[in-house]
Amino acid sequence: MPQVKIIAKNFIDMVASLPAVKLDMLYANPFICEAILRSLPPLAKKYVLQMMYIDAPIPAKSLEEWVLPDGLSKHRVAIDRLIQLRVLSETVDRKKETSYEMNKKFQINLQKQLIHGGILPREPMASSSVILPSSEELEIYALEQWEHFLLHLISSNQSEKLTNFSSSMMKVFQRGLLSQRDKEASRLTEYGFQFLLMETNAQLWYIIREYIANAEERGVDPANIISFLLELSFHETGQAYNINTLNEVQLNTIKDLSDLGLVKLQQGRKESWFLPTKLATTLSVSLSDTATRKQGYVVVETNFKMYAYSTSKLHCEIMRLFARIEYELPNLIVGAINKESLYNAFDNGITSDQIVSFLQQNAHPRVAEKVPTVPENVTDQIRLWESDLNRVEMAPAQFYDEFPSKDLFEAVCDFAREYGALLWDDSKKMQLVVKGELHNEMREFLRRQKQ
Amino acid sequence: MVNATRGLLISCDIPMAQFIISMNNSKPSNQKFIIHVLDDTHLFVQPHATEMIRIAIAEFREANTYEKPA
C-alpha cells in the first residue's frame, strides 16, 4: 500500500508542481493569474507588479539592484519561486548574462485584470428569481455535508445518506487513511487518526489533493479541475450562479464538490444553480494560516472529565479515539480521559500534542476565553503518560573496553564525538559505547592508531 | 588490545534500569542478557533482547493499572 503522507501544503504548491505545458494552459485563465499573484511572497509580488508593463527581458543585474545587499536571500527566494511557477523564464545569452522575461500570457492577463477588474465567466443570478439561504444556513449546510462525508469516509456503514461519490472514488480517499484487509473490517491507520484530528481546512485540502491526483484515472485533466477550483474561489459566498454556465467537466466536478460541502446545489422551477460556501472561497487562500475559528464544543475539567456539547456522530467518533465515552445524550457527549484510553490512542500513532491541540482548538466558547483553555494538569498528565511509554531507549551499539593507554582512549572518544556517534563513555574505567553503524570506521581508526 | 562487543545500549531512568536488572537476575544463567551494567541509567545488553524487554515492560505497566469495567 502506498504511504500517503498528510502534509497540508497549499494549492499553489500543487500548481507549481504541474508540468510546464499544463501550467501555460492554466495561465490562459485570468483568475488563475490573480490567484497566483496573491499567493506570492511579498517581494515576488512587487517584482511582478514592477515588471508588468516591461516587454523586454530584464537582465538579472538590474533586478538585483532593486534590493539592498542584506535582502539578497529574500530576493533569491522570490526569483526562484517565480521561475518555479514559470511566471519568469530565465535565459542566459552568449555573454553569460542572465536575464528574466515574464510569461506573456500571464502578463497580458494580469494587465487586463488590472484595467478591467475581474469579470467572472458567470454573473450571480438576480435575487428576484431565486430564494437565497442566509449565510448561517449555508454555513451549517456546508459543515453538515462535510461531516457526512467524513463519517462516510471512516465508517461506510454508519452514514445513512448516500453520497454521489462512487465506491471507487471513496476507496481513493480512504487509501492511506484506512488499512484494508480482505476479511477484517477496515481500520483507521496512523495517518487516518491524525487526519481526523486535523482542522477542517487541512482535511479538505487533503481530500481535494487526492481528488485532483486521481483525476487522470477518471479521464479528466487535472489542470481543468485546478483551474475550476481556483476560479470558484473568486465567486461570492452565498450568491447563486446558474449551472448552465458550466461545461461538462465542471458540471461533473461540481456534483462531487457539493458532496464535500463546497457548493450547494439548488433547483428552481426552470433552472438550477449553485451557491459557493465558505469552504470553497477560502480554498485558494494559503490554507495552513487561515485558521478560521469554528464554534468549539468541548469542555475539559480538571478531573479529566470531558463534555462535548454536540449532536454530531462524527464528534463522538473522534472523541472515542482518545477518550472513554461514558454517556451519549441527544446534545451532549460525556467522556473521560484516562490512561487506558490514551494508551489506545498512542498505540494508534496519535501524539499527545495532537490531542492537546485538538482539545484547545475545539474548546467550548465558555472556556475558550479562559487561559489555559484546557486545564494544565490535564495537558501535563497527557504528556506525562506519553513520555511514560518512552521511558526506555534502546539503540544498537558497540561497546569498547580494554584500552592499552589513556591517550588512545581519549583519541577514540574524540573521533567518535566528531561523528556525533558517542553514546556513553567512562574515562575512569576507559570504556565507551558508540553507535552501531560507526563500527567499521572505528575499526579503521584503531588500526591506524596502532601503527 | 582494544576489545569490541556488539550489543544494544539501553538508556532509561533508575527504576526502569533496576527493573531490567531484576529481570535479568531471574533468568537461568544461559539466558542472561545483560553484558555490562554501565551506570545507574545505562545498560549494555545482547542485541536480541529488544523485543523481550519491551514486552516485559508493557506487561509491567499493564499490571500497574486498573480499568473500570464499562
Side-chain angles (χ1 to χ4, degrees), chain A residues 132-174:
Chain A
L132 293 176
S134 71
S135 65
E136 287 92 49
E137 274 169 8
L138 200 63
E139 198 170 336
I140 290 169
Y141 166 83
L143 289 179
E144 243 172 37
Q145 228 23 28
W146 177 245
E147 226 158 70
H148 264 299
F149 170 76
L150 279 187
L151 203 59
H152 190 74
L153 190 69
I154 53 168
S155 51
S156 313
N157 43 4
Q158 276 210 30
S159 93
E160 316 82 34
K161 215 166 121 190
L162 281 175
T163 57
N164 174 36
F165 286 112
S166 61
S167 60
S168 64
M169 198 61 222
M170 228 46 200
K171 284 243 163 62
V172 171
F173 293 142
Q174 284 166 345

mmCIF file of all heavy atoms in Angstrom, chain A residues 132-174:
data_model
loop_
_atom_site.group_PDB
_atom_site.id
_atom_site.type_symbol
_atom_site.label_atom_id
_atom_site.label_comp_id
_atom_site.label_asym_id
_atom_site.label_seq_id
_atom_site.Cartn_x
_atom_site.Cartn_y
_atom_site.Cartn_z
ATOM 1 N N LEU A 132 -32.441 32.964 -1.784
ATOM 2 C CA LEU A 132 -31.131 32.624 -1.263
ATOM 3 C C LEU A 132 -31.227 32.222 0.201
ATOM 4 O O LEU A 132 -31.942 32.861 0.971
ATOM 5 C CB LEU A 132 -30.197 33.830 -1.383
ATOM 6 C CG LEU A 132 -29.822 34.266 -2.797
ATOM 7 C CD1 LEU A 132 -28.990 35.532 -2.735
ATOM 8 C CD2 LEU A 132 -29.075 33.159 -3.504
ATOM 9 N N PRO A 133 -30.505 31.184 0.584
ATOM 10 C CA PRO A 133 -30.444 30.868 2.012
ATOM 11 C C PRO A 133 -29.559 31.882 2.716
ATOM 12 O O PRO A 133 -28.696 32.503 2.087
ATOM 13 C CB PRO A 133 -29.798 29.476 2.032
ATOM 14 C CG PRO A 133 -29.069 29.359 0.744
ATOM 15 C CD PRO A 133 -29.742 30.260 -0.243
ATOM 16 N N SER A 134 -29.774 32.086 3.987
ATOM 17 C CA SER A 134 -28.943 33.033 4.722
ATOM 18 C C SER A 134 -27.551 32.436 4.876
ATOM 19 O O SER A 134 -27.336 31.249 4.695
ATOM 20 C CB SER A 134 -29.549 33.300 6.095
ATOM 21 O OG SER A 134 -29.390 32.143 6.883
ATOM 22 N N SER A 135 -26.605 33.301 5.213
ATOM 23 C CA SER A 135 -25.229 32.824 5.253
ATOM 24 C C SER A 135 -25.036 31.788 6.370
ATOM 25 O O SER A 135 -24.237 30.878 6.245
ATOM 26 C CB SER A 135 -24.262 33.991 5.429
ATOM 27 O OG SER A 135 -24.465 34.594 6.677
ATOM 28 N N GLU A 136 -25.816 31.926 7.460
ATOM 29 C CA GLU A 136 -25.697 30.919 8.525
ATOM 30 C C GLU A 136 -26.188 29.566 8.034
ATOM 31 O O GLU A 136 -25.574 28.537 8.274
ATOM 32 C CB GLU A 136 -26.516 31.305 9.760
ATOM 33 C CG GLU A 136 -25.947 32.431 10.584
ATOM 34 C CD GLU A 136 -26.497 33.764 10.136
ATOM 35 O OE1 GLU A 136 -27.734 33.865 9.991
ATOM 36 O OE2 GLU A 136 -25.704 34.697 9.906
ATOM 37 N N GLU A 137 -27.325 29.628 7.339
ATOM 38 C CA GLU A 137 -27.887 28.376 6.827
ATOM 39 C C GLU A 137 -26.894 27.688 5.914
ATOM 40 O O GLU A 137 -26.700 26.474 5.963
ATOM 41 C CB GLU A 137 -29.171 28.665 6.046
ATOM 42 C CG GLU A 137 -30.417 28.725 6.885
ATOM 43 C CD GLU A 137 -31.589 29.283 6.098
ATOM 44 O OE1 GLU A 137 -31.450 29.475 4.880
ATOM 45 O OE2 GLU A 137 -32.619 29.515 6.706
ATOM 46 N N LEU A 138 -26.255 28.515 5.084
ATOM 47 C CA LEU A 138 -25.320 27.965 4.122
ATOM 48 C C LEU A 138 -24.122 27.351 4.835
ATOM 49 O O LEU A 138 -23.630 26.281 4.459
ATOM 50 C CB LEU A 138 -24.856 29.077 3.178
ATOM 51 C CG LEU A 138 -24.284 28.588 1.865
ATOM 52 C CD1 LEU A 138 -25.340 27.847 1.080
ATOM 53 C CD2 LEU A 138 -23.762 29.771 1.061
ATOM 54 N N GLU A 139 -23.673 28.020 5.881
ATOM 55 C CA GLU A 139 -22.515 27.501 6.586
ATOM 56 C C GLU A 139 -22.859 26.198 7.295
ATOM 57 O O GLU A 139 -22.069 25.247 7.286
ATOM 58 C CB GLU A 139 -22.022 28.549 7.582
ATOM 59 C CG GLU A 139 -20.613 28.269 8.009
ATOM 60 C CD GLU A 139 -20.012 29.405 8.808
ATOM 61 O OE1 GLU A 139 -20.476 30.545 8.645
ATOM 62 O OE2 GLU A 139 -19.095 29.133 9.575
ATOM 63 N N ILE A 140 -24.037 26.180 7.886
ATOM 64 C CA ILE A 140 -24.467 24.947 8.542
ATOM 65 C C ILE A 140 -24.550 23.820 7.526
ATOM 66 O O ILE A 140 -24.088 22.701 7.769
ATOM 67 C CB ILE A 140 -25.825 25.159 9.251
ATOM 68 C CG1 ILE A 140 -25.637 26.072 10.450
ATOM 69 C CG2 ILE A 140 -26.417 23.832 9.681
ATOM 70 C CD1 ILE A 140 -26.928 26.548 11.062
ATOM 71 N N TYR A 141 -25.096 24.173 6.378
ATOM 72 C CA TYR A 141 -25.208 23.174 5.322
ATOM 73 C C TYR A 141 -23.832 22.632 4.938
ATOM 74 O O TYR A 141 -23.625 21.422 4.837
ATOM 75 C CB TYR A 141 -25.887 23.782 4.097
ATOM 76 C CG TYR A 141 -25.740 22.949 2.854
ATOM 77 C CD1 TYR A 141 -26.599 21.872 2.616
ATOM 78 C CD2 TYR A 141 -24.731 23.214 1.936
ATOM 79 C CE1 TYR A 141 -26.443 21.091 1.489
ATOM 80 C CE2 TYR A 141 -24.569 22.435 0.813
ATOM 81 C CZ TYR A 141 -25.429 21.373 0.583
ATOM 82 O OH TYR A 141 -25.257 20.599 -0.521
ATOM 83 N N ALA A 142 -22.868 23.562 4.770
ATOM 84 C CA ALA A 142 -21.538 23.158 4.346
ATOM 85 C C ALA A 142 -20.915 22.213 5.358
ATOM 86 O O ALA A 142 -20.374 21.157 5.006
ATOM 87 C CB ALA A 142 -20.654 24.390 4.163
ATOM 88 N N LEU A 143 -21.022 22.581 6.633
ATOM 89 C CA LEU A 143 -20.400 21.755 7.654
ATOM 90 C C LEU A 143 -21.086 20.406 7.763
ATOM 91 O O LEU A 143 -20.448 19.376 7.956
ATOM 92 C CB LEU A 143 -20.427 22.477 9.001
ATOM 93 C CG LEU A 143 -19.474 23.675 9.054
ATOM 94 C CD1 LEU A 143 -19.556 24.364 10.393
ATOM 95 C CD2 LEU A 143 -18.041 23.242 8.777
ATOM 96 N N GLU A 144 -22.409 20.418 7.627
ATOM 97 C CA GLU A 144 -23.145 19.164 7.698
ATOM 98 C C GLU A 144 -22.704 18.214 6.594
ATOM 99 O O GLU A 144 -22.469 17.032 6.802
ATOM 100 C CB GLU A 144 -24.640 19.439 7.534
ATOM 101 C CG GLU A 144 -25.439 19.066 8.738
ATOM 102 C CD GLU A 144 -26.874 19.532 8.594
ATOM 103 O OE1 GLU A 144 -27.403 19.465 7.461
ATOM 104 O OE2 GLU A 144 -27.441 19.959 9.608
ATOM 105 N N GLN A 145 -22.601 18.770 5.403
ATOM 106 C CA GLN A 145 -22.225 17.996 4.236
ATOM 107 C C GLN A 145 -20.834 17.401 4.444
ATOM 108 O O GLN A 145 -20.592 16.233 4.191
ATOM 109 C CB GLN A 145 -22.185 18.959 3.060
ATOM 110 C CG GLN A 145 -22.816 18.681 1.770
ATOM 111 C CD GLN A 145 -23.940 17.717 1.677
ATOM 112 O OE1 GLN A 145 -24.718 17.495 2.601
ATOM 113 N NE2 GLN A 145 -24.008 17.118 0.526
ATOM 114 N N TRP A 146 -19.955 18.225 4.941
ATOM 115 C CA TRP A 146 -18.579 17.804 5.150
ATOM 116 C C TRP A 146 -18.521 16.694 6.202
ATOM 117 O O TRP A 146 -17.799 15.711 6.065
ATOM 118 C CB TRP A 146 -17.751 19.017 5.572
ATOM 119 C CG TRP A 146 -16.337 18.689 5.882
ATOM 120 C CD1 TRP A 146 -15.725 18.786 7.087
ATOM 121 C CD2 TRP A 146 -15.357 18.185 4.962
ATOM 122 N NE1 TRP A 146 -14.432 18.382 6.974
ATOM 123 C CE2 TRP A 146 -14.174 18.006 5.685
ATOM 124 C CE3 TRP A 146 -15.372 17.858 3.608
ATOM 125 C CZ2 TRP A 146 -13.015 17.519 5.108
ATOM 126 C CZ3 TRP A 146 -14.209 17.373 3.022
ATOM 127 C CH2 TRP A 146 -13.052 17.214 3.761
ATOM 128 N N GLU A 147 -19.326 16.857 7.249
ATOM 129 C CA GLU A 147 -19.343 15.872 8.301
ATOM 130 C C GLU A 147 -19.849 14.516 7.802
ATOM 131 O O GLU A 147 -19.306 13.472 8.123
ATOM 132 C CB GLU A 147 -20.249 16.364 9.418
ATOM 133 C CG GLU A 147 -19.635 16.197 10.754
ATOM 134 C CD GLU A 147 -20.261 17.143 11.733
ATOM 135 O OE1 GLU A 147 -21.425 16.922 12.077
ATOM 136 O OE2 GLU A 147 -19.585 18.110 12.124
ATOM 137 N N HIS A 148 -20.893 14.605 6.979
ATOM 138 C CA HIS A 148 -21.434 13.395 6.382
ATOM 139 C C HIS A 148 -20.373 12.667 5.605
ATOM 140 O O HIS A 148 -20.231 11.454 5.680
ATOM 141 C CB HIS A 148 -22.582 13.736 5.423
ATOM 142 C CG HIS A 148 -23.914 13.626 6.065
ATOM 143 N ND1 HIS A 148 -24.364 12.443 6.586
ATOM 144 C CD2 HIS A 148 -24.878 14.538 6.282
ATOM 145 C CE1 HIS A 148 -25.549 12.653 7.108
ATOM 146 N NE2 HIS A 148 -25.891 13.913 6.943
ATOM 147 N N PHE A 149 -19.643 13.456 4.861
ATOM 148 C CA PHE A 149 -18.608 12.883 4.032
ATOM 149 C C PHE A 149 -17.557 12.196 4.900
ATOM 150 O O PHE A 149 -17.151 11.060 4.644
ATOM 151 C CB PHE A 149 -17.974 13.977 3.175
ATOM 152 C CG PHE A 149 -16.752 13.522 2.460
ATOM 153 C CD1 PHE A 149 -16.856 12.713 1.346
ATOM 154 C CD2 PHE A 149 -15.493 13.883 2.910
ATOM 155 C CE1 PHE A 149 -15.728 12.274 0.686
ATOM 156 C CE2 PHE A 149 -14.363 13.449 2.254
ATOM 157 C CZ PHE A 149 -14.481 12.635 1.143
ATOM 158 N N LEU A 150 -17.145 12.881 5.969
ATOM 159 C CA LEU A 150 -16.119 12.309 6.834
ATOM 160 C C LEU A 150 -16.605 11.018 7.479
ATOM 161 O O LEU A 150 -15.879 10.033 7.553
ATOM 162 C CB LEU A 150 -15.744 13.305 7.927
ATOM 163 C CG LEU A 150 -14.755 14.397 7.541
ATOM 164 C CD1 LEU A 150 -14.363 15.178 8.774
ATOM 165 C CD2 LEU A 150 -13.524 13.823 6.884
ATOM 166 N N LEU A 151 -17.818 11.038 7.945
ATOM 167 C CA LEU A 151 -18.376 9.874 8.616
ATOM 168 C C LEU A 151 -18.436 8.704 7.655
ATOM 169 O O LEU A 151 -18.104 7.568 8.000
ATOM 170 C CB LEU A 151 -19.770 10.215 9.137
ATOM 171 C CG LEU A 151 -20.261 9.367 10.295
ATOM 172 C CD1 LEU A 151 -19.315 9.494 11.462
ATOM 173 C CD2 LEU A 151 -21.644 9.820 10.713
ATOM 174 N N HIS A 152 -18.824 9.023 6.444
ATOM 175 C CA HIS A 152 -18.887 8.012 5.409
ATOM 176 C C HIS A 152 -17.500 7.469 5.125
ATOM 177 O O HIS A 152 -17.303 6.287 4.875
ATOM 178 C CB HIS A 152 -19.471 8.644 4.145
ATOM 179 C CG HIS A 152 -19.810 7.648 3.094
ATOM 180 N ND1 HIS A 152 -20.905 6.826 3.185
ATOM 181 C CD2 HIS A 152 -19.202 7.332 1.934
ATOM 182 C CE1 HIS A 152 -20.952 6.051 2.119
ATOM 183 N NE2 HIS A 152 -19.931 6.335 1.344
ATOM 184 N N LEU A 153 -16.549 8.366 5.207
ATOM 185 C CA LEU A 153 -15.173 8.002 4.916
ATOM 186 C C LEU A 153 -14.627 7.034 5.942
ATOM 187 O O LEU A 153 -14.001 6.029 5.599
ATOM 188 C CB LEU A 153 -14.317 9.280 4.896
ATOM 189 C CG LEU A 153 -12.893 9.183 4.381
ATOM 190 C CD1 LEU A 153 -12.909 8.908 2.895
ATOM 191 C CD2 LEU A 153 -12.145 10.462 4.661
ATOM 192 N N ILE A 154 -14.871 7.325 7.230
ATOM 193 C CA ILE A 154 -14.248 6.474 8.244
ATOM 194 C C ILE A 154 -15.055 5.214 8.503
ATOM 195 O O ILE A 154 -14.493 4.189 8.819
ATOM 196 C CB ILE A 154 -13.977 7.227 9.568
ATOM 197 C CG1 ILE A 154 -15.252 7.907 10.063
ATOM 198 C CG2 ILE A 154 -12.871 8.234 9.402
ATOM 199 C CD1 ILE A 154 -15.131 8.412 11.466
ATOM 200 N N SER A 155 -16.352 5.275 8.382
ATOM 201 C CA SER A 155 -17.111 4.039 8.556
ATOM 202 C C SER A 155 -18.278 4.064 7.595
ATOM 203 O O SER A 155 -19.282 4.710 7.857
ATOM 204 C CB SER A 155 -17.589 3.909 9.991
ATOM 205 O OG SER A 155 -18.241 5.081 10.365
ATOM 206 N N SER A 156 -18.091 3.370 6.493
ATOM 207 C CA SER A 156 -19.050 3.468 5.395
ATOM 208 C C SER A 156 -20.468 3.071 5.785
ATOM 209 O O SER A 156 -21.436 3.546 5.209
ATOM 210 C CB SER A 156 -18.598 2.589 4.244
ATOM 211 O OG SER A 156 -17.244 2.819 3.996
ATOM 212 N N ASN A 157 -20.578 2.199 6.805
ATOM 213 C CA ASN A 157 -21.919 1.712 7.104
ATOM 214 C C ASN A 157 -22.700 2.640 8.023
ATOM 215 O O ASN A 157 -23.884 2.466 8.226
ATOM 216 C CB ASN A 157 -21.835 0.318 7.733
ATOM 217 C CG ASN A 157 -20.738 0.246 8.752
ATOM 218 O OD1 ASN A 157 -20.085 1.250 9.036
ATOM 219 N ND2 ASN A 157 -20.524 -0.933 9.300
ATOM 220 N N GLN A 158 -22.008 3.656 8.595
ATOM 221 C CA GLN A 158 -22.686 4.446 9.618
ATOM 222 C C GLN A 158 -23.536 5.584 9.089
ATOM 223 O O GLN A 158 -24.446 6.033 9.759
ATOM 224 C CB GLN A 158 -21.653 5.017 10.582
ATOM 225 C CG GLN A 158 -21.294 4.010 11.645
ATOM 226 C CD GLN A 158 -20.906 4.694 12.916
ATOM 227 O OE1 GLN A 158 -21.390 5.767 13.208
ATOM 228 N NE2 GLN A 158 -20.056 4.053 13.677
ATOM 229 N N SER A 159 -23.179 6.099 7.926
ATOM 230 C CA SER A 159 -23.970 7.240 7.473
ATOM 231 C C SER A 159 -25.126 6.755 6.622
ATOM 232 O O SER A 159 -24.981 5.871 5.786
ATOM 233 C CB SER A 159 -23.088 8.223 6.698
ATOM 234 O OG SER A 159 -23.131 7.934 5.336
ATOM 235 N N GLU A 160 -26.274 7.332 6.878
ATOM 236 C CA GLU A 160 -27.466 6.847 6.193
ATOM 237 C C GLU A 160 -27.548 7.454 4.802
ATOM 238 O O GLU A 160 -28.012 6.828 3.869
ATOM 239 C CB GLU A 160 -28.738 7.207 6.964
ATOM 240 C CG GLU A 160 -28.685 6.985 8.466
ATOM 241 C CD GLU A 160 -28.011 8.134 9.195
ATOM 242 O OE1 GLU A 160 -28.145 9.290 8.757
ATOM 243 O OE2 GLU A 160 -27.349 7.858 10.215
ATOM 244 N N LYS A 161 -27.077 8.716 4.745
ATOM 245 C CA LYS A 161 -27.230 9.411 3.494
ATOM 246 C C LYS A 161 -26.133 8.977 2.523
ATOM 247 O O LYS A 161 -24.966 8.919 2.883
ATOM 248 C CB LYS A 161 -27.114 10.918 3.751
ATOM 249 C CG LYS A 161 -28.010 11.730 2.865
ATOM 250 C CD LYS A 161 -28.095 13.139 3.397
ATOM 251 C CE LYS A 161 -27.631 14.126 2.380
ATOM 252 N NZ LYS A 161 -27.489 15.464 2.948
ATOM 253 N N LEU A 162 -26.526 8.670 1.317
ATOM 254 C CA LEU A 162 -25.536 8.226 0.346
ATOM 255 C C LEU A 162 -24.943 9.422 -0.373
ATOM 256 O O LEU A 162 -25.603 10.416 -0.629
ATOM 257 C CB LEU A 162 -26.181 7.289 -0.663
ATOM 258 C CG LEU A 162 -26.369 5.866 -0.141
ATOM 259 C CD1 LEU A 162 -27.115 5.044 -1.151
ATOM 260 C CD2 LEU A 162 -25.042 5.224 0.208
ATOM 261 N N THR A 163 -23.670 9.329 -0.681
ATOM 262 C CA THR A 163 -23.046 10.412 -1.422
ATOM 263 C C THR A 163 -22.964 10.030 -2.888
ATOM 264 O O THR A 163 -23.126 8.877 -3.265
ATOM 265 C CB THR A 163 -21.632 10.706 -0.911
ATOM 266 O OG1 THR A 163 -20.888 9.510 -0.993
ATOM 267 C CG2 THR A 163 -21.659 11.213 0.501
ATOM 268 N N ASN A 164 -22.668 11.020 -3.669
ATOM 269 C CA ASN A 164 -22.580 10.857 -5.108
ATOM 270 C C ASN A 164 -21.307 10.130 -5.502
ATOM 271 O O ASN A 164 -21.211 9.546 -6.569
ATOM 272 C CB ASN A 164 -22.639 12.270 -5.723
ATOM 273 C CG ASN A 164 -22.413 12.270 -7.206
ATOM 274 O OD1 ASN A 164 -22.831 11.352 -7.894
ATOM 275 N ND2 ASN A 164 -21.758 13.297 -7.682
ATOM 276 N N PHE A 165 -20.323 10.144 -4.584
ATOM 277 C CA PHE A 165 -19.051 9.527 -4.910
ATOM 278 C C PHE A 165 -19.209 8.032 -5.126
ATOM 279 O O PHE A 165 -19.853 7.350 -4.344
ATOM 280 C CB PHE A 165 -18.044 9.750 -3.789
ATOM 281 C CG PHE A 165 -17.527 11.148 -3.751
ATOM 282 C CD1 PHE A 165 -17.851 11.980 -2.708
ATOM 283 C CD2 PHE A 165 -16.730 11.624 -4.768
ATOM 284 C CE1 PHE A 165 -17.376 13.271 -2.678
ATOM 285 C CE2 PHE A 165 -16.254 12.915 -4.748
ATOM 286 C CZ PHE A 165 -16.583 13.743 -3.700
ATOM 287 N N SER A 166 -18.633 7.557 -6.175
ATOM 288 C CA SER A 166 -18.665 6.126 -6.424
ATOM 289 C C SER A 166 -17.782 5.461 -5.381
ATOM 290 O O SER A 166 -16.945 6.088 -4.759
ATOM 291 C CB SER A 166 -18.153 5.839 -7.818
ATOM 292 O OG SER A 166 -16.826 6.276 -7.915
ATOM 293 N N SER A 167 -17.999 4.157 -5.199
ATOM 294 C CA SER A 167 -17.224 3.485 -4.163
ATOM 295 C C SER A 167 -15.746 3.465 -4.525
ATOM 296 O O SER A 167 -14.882 3.457 -3.653
ATOM 297 C CB SER A 167 -17.745 2.075 -3.941
ATOM 298 O OG SER A 167 -17.636 1.349 -5.135
ATOM 299 N N SER A 168 -15.449 3.505 -5.821
ATOM 300 C CA SER A 168 -14.034 3.506 -6.193
ATOM 301 C C SER A 168 -13.384 4.834 -5.816
ATOM 302 O O SER A 168 -12.243 4.886 -5.377
ATOM 303 C CB SER A 168 -13.867 3.246 -7.685
ATOM 304 O OG SER A 168 -14.438 4.289 -8.428
ATOM 305 N N MET A 169 -14.170 5.900 -5.945
ATOM 306 C CA MET A 169 -13.678 7.218 -5.562
ATOM 307 C C MET A 169 -13.428 7.241 -4.057
ATOM 308 O O MET A 169 -12.429 7.764 -3.569
ATOM 309 C CB MET A 169 -14.757 8.231 -5.939
ATOM 310 C CG MET A 169 -14.299 9.643 -6.032
ATOM 311 S SD MET A 169 -13.055 9.844 -7.273
ATOM 312 C CE MET A 169 -11.948 10.918 -6.407
ATOM 313 N N MET A 170 -14.364 6.664 -3.332
ATOM 314 C CA MET A 170 -14.251 6.611 -1.880
ATOM 315 C C MET A 170 -12.989 5.851 -1.480
ATOM 316 O O MET A 170 -12.297 6.214 -0.537
ATOM 317 C CB MET A 170 -15.500 5.906 -1.346
ATOM 318 C CG MET A 170 -16.183 6.571 -0.210
ATOM 319 S SD MET A 170 -16.422 8.307 -0.382
ATOM 320 C CE MET A 170 -16.649 8.711 1.319
ATOM 321 N N LYS A 171 -12.732 4.781 -2.212
ATOM 322 C CA LYS A 171 -11.539 3.963 -1.938
ATOM 323 C C LYS A 171 -10.281 4.804 -2.089
ATOM 324 O O LYS A 171 -9.324 4.650 -1.329
ATOM 325 C CB LYS A 171 -11.488 2.780 -2.913
ATOM 326 C CG LYS A 171 -12.475 1.690 -2.567
ATOM 327 C CD LYS A 171 -11.726 0.404 -2.230
ATOM 328 C CE LYS A 171 -12.650 -0.552 -1.503
ATOM 329 N NZ LYS A 171 -13.800 -0.941 -2.342
ATOM 330 N N VAL A 172 -10.305 5.682 -3.081
ATOM 331 C CA VAL A 172 -9.133 6.528 -3.307
ATOM 332 C C VAL A 172 -8.893 7.418 -2.100
ATOM 333 O O VAL A 172 -7.773 7.568 -1.629
ATOM 334 C CB VAL A 172 -9.328 7.385 -4.570
ATOM 335 C CG1 VAL A 172 -8.223 8.413 -4.691
ATOM 336 C CG2 VAL A 172 -9.361 6.513 -5.797
ATOM 337 N N PHE A 173 -9.986 7.978 -1.584
ATOM 338 C CA PHE A 173 -9.830 8.835 -0.414
ATOM 339 C C PHE A 173 -9.374 8.033 0.795
ATOM 340 O O PHE A 173 -8.623 8.507 1.623
ATOM 341 C CB PHE A 173 -11.159 9.529 -0.078
ATOM 342 C CG PHE A 173 -11.594 10.511 -1.122
ATOM 343 C CD1 PHE A 173 -12.925 10.642 -1.455
ATOM 344 C CD2 PHE A 173 -10.665 11.294 -1.779
ATOM 345 C CE1 PHE A 173 -13.330 11.551 -2.411
ATOM 346 C CE2 PHE A 173 -11.059 12.210 -2.740
ATOM 347 C CZ PHE A 173 -12.389 12.331 -3.054
ATOM 348 N N GLN A 174 -9.876 6.808 0.864
ATOM 349 C CA GLN A 174 -9.579 6.012 2.052
ATOM 350 C C GLN A 174 -8.166 5.455 2.030
ATOM 351 O O GLN A 174 -7.602 5.126 3.063
ATOM 352 C CB GLN A 174 -10.584 4.865 2.180
ATOM 353 C CG GLN A 174 -11.914 5.339 2.689
ATOM 354 C CD GLN A 174 -12.993 4.316 2.517
ATOM 355 O OE1 GLN A 174 -12.831 3.355 1.771
ATOM 356 N NE2 GLN A 174 -14.107 4.503 3.194
#
